[in-house]
Amino acid sequence: MTISSLIDTPSELTDSASSKTAIVLMTRIRLARNLAGRPFPGWAKPAQRAEVLQLCREALVEATAMKRSVNVAVHELSDLEKQILVERHLISRELSGSDAGSGVVINRDQTVSVMINEEDHLRIQVLRSGLQLKKAWNAINDLDSALEQRLDYAFSPTLGYLTACPTNLGTGLRASAMMHLPALVIGGQMEKVVRAVNQLGMVVRGLFGEGSDASGSIFQISNQTTLGEAEDEIIKRLQSVLQSIVEHELNARERLLEADPGKVFDKIGRAYGILQNGHVLSSGEAMNLLSLVRLGVDLGAFPDGHRQVIDRLFIEAQPGHLQHAQQGPLEAGQRDLLRAERLRSEFANLTRPNFTYPAPGKSVDGKN
Amino acid sequence: MAKTLTCNFCSQPATVHLTKIVANKVHNVDLCEDCAQAKGVTNPGGFSLGDLLLEASLKGEASSGGGGVRCEQCGFTQADFKKHGRFGCPACYDTFAALLEPMLDGMHKGTRHAGKVPRAALERKSLYDRLTKLELDLTDAIKSERYEEAARFRDEINQVKQAFTPKDSA
């Protein structure tokens, strides 16, 4: 199996949106693992990196979860392929820029990817659509236990799994959820949410991790600490933070609709108009417009099935995916034209929004 | 009178003060305008306070010296850690335990691991360590012509080796 066949295969990320994924688009868990007695990737000599790559690949092909997977060395990938994998959250930017001796193994439906010789020897990741922290944990725990049968992990009874950076010590676990929070953004409450979430030991990041902006009102929320707490406690804590953010977003939507439904519908209607008729769209603008239409789906203005189209377009409107579809590199200006063309043709077939104004004196959910 | 706080990164007067509470402990980072900009603090969600705290505590350490400890396994030094914020190999955690301990307090919820344990890998390691020791004992016993003991060590070695071969039911 090759990277390009992987890109054309239906994946968890691009093809499983439903009403269950309305606010939490997807859940990811990653585990950082290292092999005992071997220098961490950032300090290892090329021969030592090559050895670790070999050992980890051998262990991975034996694991049931990785049957029929793509198994490549990073230096074998073109810049475009790497960019596409980053846009699909299957490899990190750090791995895509790494030297020889790094690799990645990705299963067919792209729910599991294992980076080798990124910051740690192994970065195992499991991804699930919607809010499915427990399922993701069970899957990654099984894979980790299978790998442990073949690999000698660096582990200390007091410090847990030893990682290159002490911020990942202990469980080596980072659980995160990708959330769509348009009403909190429109209502200007996001800063408050970020502060509150930080106080609870969780971190809020943009769509593509540290330092990225939150275009499309999409945020990633994850645990900050890894040592001193068991995996299921970390997951439970994150789960309750996520649920409370979902509630805040729902309340914010209700308030927006109560205060000024015309204004909200206007935003959504205009977004639909531009996506259907625009000719120049930057990646950031496209994300923001798609986000508004997605809010429209959640509010019942569009059929539920549109959500999946939008979630797929969130990924396919990214620069790497556009260039892959075009089969060649494009300058930013050309990309914006092509992106608009692509969105126009997708939106030509999407039904018009059908807005229902809440009856006066009643709130949107029918309660008084 | 309140003393003027200086930036943790460049010693200019600090105007940005960040506070993080982990497990009821308060941790502060003070920054000047320029460093706050450079570290992306002004961009909500765009920076990691955890990394910033780590960096700040390393800067503090750097001025207090600390000698030239060097990891025997991989040659990593304390200066390397201050530069990269990452360790060289798993053994560095023993080598630099003294440096690490105060940092962990502010970084995590606790200082002791409470999660999953790689049981299979640890059992394998303890068997391996036992085997290595038995083989040394055996050589010693043969050298000093203690043949009865040697025979016992050989039996034990065979037992341990059998435990290494995975059983079908396992």
Side-chain angles (χ1 to χ4, degrees):
Chain A
M1 213 173 157
T2 62
I3 292 287
S4 73
S5 74
L6 195 70
I7 291 163
D8 298 327
T9 308
S11 76
E12 183 90 357
L13 183 65
T14 51
D15 299 272
S16 51
S18 71
S19 58
K20 283 186 185 154
T21 64
I23 294 182
V24 180
L25 280 78
M26 71 162 183
T27 313
R28 280 192 292 167
I29 298 187
R30 74 109 161 104
L31 293 173
R33 297 288 186 255
N34 289 280
L35 306 190
R38 292 171 189 277
F40 297 130
W43 189 246
K45 298 188 174 67
Q48 294 169 317
R49 287 171 63 99
E51 261 177 53
V52 168
L53 179 62
Q54 173 81 10
L55 278 170
C56 292
R57 280 176 141 183
E58 279 169 14
L60 279 161
V61 293
E62 294 295 329
T64 353
M66 303 315 281
K67 288 272 139 67
R68 299 188 69 206
S69 53
V70 173
N71 184 338
V72 283
V74 173
H75 67 85
E76 293 165 4
L77 295 171
S78 70
D79 286 346
L80 184 57
E81 285 173 322
K82 286 190 258 190
Q83 194 178 350
I84 287 169
L85 294 179
V86 170
E87 289 171 3
R88 291 192 166 220
H89 306 275
L90 294 170
I91 66 172
S92 63
R93 282 187 182 155
E94 188 175 340
L95 189 85
S96 80
S98 69
D99 311 332
S102 294
V104 63
V105 185
I106 303 167
N107 75 344
R108 191 180 164 78
D109 63 3
Q110 297 158 54
T111 51
V112 186
S113 81
V114 182
M115 294 188 279
I116 305 166
N117 282 330
E118 201 235 27
E119 183 180 299
D120 294 297
H121 292 147
L122 285 167
R123 284 284 176 102
I124 310 165
Q125 172 186 274
V126 165
L127 178 157
R128 287 282 182 277
S129 68
L131 179 52
Q132 301 196 66
L133 279 169
K134 279 223 179 86
K135 275 200 182 148
W137 164 245
N138 289 340
I140 204 168
N141 189 25
D142 288 348
L143 174 57
D144 177 54
S145 298
L147 293 177
E148 179 201 312
Q149 299 292 331
R150 291 169 192 280
L151 298 172
D152 288 327
Y153 285 155
F155 180 84
S156 138
T158 49
L159 295 176
Y161 292 92
L162 301 174
T163 51
C165 183
T167 51
N168 295 315
L169 267 181
T171 55
L173 177 142
R174 176 143 295 144
S176 72
M178 198 193 272
M179 303 186 89
H180 183 226
L181 307 172
L184 288 171
V185 172
I186 294 170
Q189 290 165 276
M190 216 34 229
E191 216 168 304
K192 223 168 74 190
V193 170
V194 170
R195 267 206 306 275
V197 168
N198 280 339
Q199 294 284 311
L200 293 165
M202 303 289 164
V203 192
V204 183
R205 295 182 168 90
L207 177 57
F208 288 105
E210 226 148 281
S212 68
D213 63 355
S215 60
S217 300
I218 294 177
F219 297 86
Q220 290 188 70
I221 289 97
S222 60
N223 60 305
Q224 167 133 38
T225 61
T226 50
L227 178 67
E229 234 182 334
E231 290 83 356
D232 53 352
E233 289 169 45
I234 296 175
I235 287 166
K236 215 164 77 191
R237 231 156 39 83
L238 180 64
Q239 175 95 19
S240 81
V241 170
L242 295 177
Q243 273 160 353
S244 115
I245 298 174
V246 168
E247 258 165 55
H248 277 89
E249 168 68 18
L250 289 174
N251 288 339
R253 289 179 184 187
E254 201 167 311
R255 273 199 305 278
L256 278 180
L257 280 185
E258 257 169 45
D260 201 346
K263 199 171 144 199
V264 179
F265 295 162
D266 183 62
K267 274 181 191 285
I268 296 168
R270 280 167 189 261
Y272 174 79
I274 296 171
L275 287 165
Q276 201 174 52
N277 299 294
H279 280 256
V280 182
L281 283 175
S282 71
S283 163
E285 187 183 5
M287 294 293 284
N288 287 332
L289 297 171
L290 287 167
S291 158
L292 284 165
V293 175
R294 200 176 192 277
L295 175 63
V297 178
D298 292 353
L299 297 177
F302 298 97
D304 234 24
H306 284 19
R307 194 182 285 109
Q308 180 157 331
V309 179
I310 291 161
D311 283 6
R312 180 166 50 75
L313 290 172
F314 268 145
I315 303 293
E316 288 178 0
Q318 300 295 328
H321 279 76
L322 271 183
Q323 292 176 70
H324 171 72
Q326 189 64 19
Q327 299 186 334
L330 295 164
E331 284 170 27
Q334 294 175 299
R335 283 208 297 270
D336 292 352
L337 286 169
L338 186 74
R339 182 178 293 113
E341 190 187 312
R342 180 73 210 286
L343 289 163
R344 274 204 315 279
S345 77
E346 292 270 355
F347 270 78
N349 306 317
L350 290 194
T351 45
R352 292 167 41 76
N354 179 15
F355 297 111
T356 328
Y357 279 83
K362 277 193 154 189
S363 75
V364 276
D365 60 358
K367 286 179 287 189
N368 56 341
Chain B
M1 214 175 83
K3 65 171 182 161
T4 321
L5 289 166
T6 55
C7 173
N8 290 146
F9 293 90
C10 70
S11 322
Q12 303 246 36
T15 53
V16 179
H17 311 285
L18 298 168
T19 303
K20 187 176 79 155
I21 301 167
V22 180
N24 298 323
K25 269 172 273 172
V26 181
H27 306 279
N28 293 306
V29 182
D30 304 303
L31 301 130
C32 68
E33 195 84 38
D34 293 343
C35 288
Q37 281 282 353
K39 307 275 172 201
V41 173
T42 44
N43 169 17
F47 77 105
S48 157
L49 192 51
D51 284 353
L52 210 57
L53 279 164
L54 170 63
E55 225 181 298
S57 74
L58 289 176
K59 286 269 180 202
E61 282 286 318
S63 52
S64 68
V69 188
R70 194 183 175 86
C71 177
E72 276 185 27
Q73 284 268 327
C74 72
F76 204 75
T77 63
Q78 199 157 316
D80 288 322
F81 182 64
K82 276 163 193 164
K83 202 164 127 203
H84 304 291
R86 310 275 186 274
F87 280 123
C89 77
C92 287
Y93 279 97
D94 288 327
T95 315
F96 303 106
L99 171 76
L100 183 73
E101 213 175 305
M103 271 167 31
L104 283 184
D105 225 15
M107 204 182 280
H108 289 289
K109 236 184 149 129
T111 54
R112 280 191 76 93
H113 180 53
K116 183 176 180 178
V117 170
R119 258 185 354 112
L122 291 182
E123 265 169 37
R124 212 162 44 231
K125 184 174 184 306
S126 85
L127 283 177
Y128 180 79
D129 290 348
R130 181 128 171 265
L131 196 62
T132 317
K133 187 178 175 299
L134 282 169
E135 275 168 352
L136 282 175
D137 289 346
L138 178 66
T139 325
D140 268 3
I142 293 173
K143 255 192 212 154
S144 50
E145 303 188 358
R146 288 177 281 126
Y147 295 115
E148 234 169 88
E149 271 181 62
R152 218 179 57 229
F153 288 139
R154 183 163 297 139
D155 288 348
E156 271 192 63
I157 285 173
N158 285 333
Q159 274 175 17
V160 174
K161 275 187 178 160
Q162 261 176 10
F164 257 114
T165 353
K167 296 172 200 92
D168 289 338
S169 56

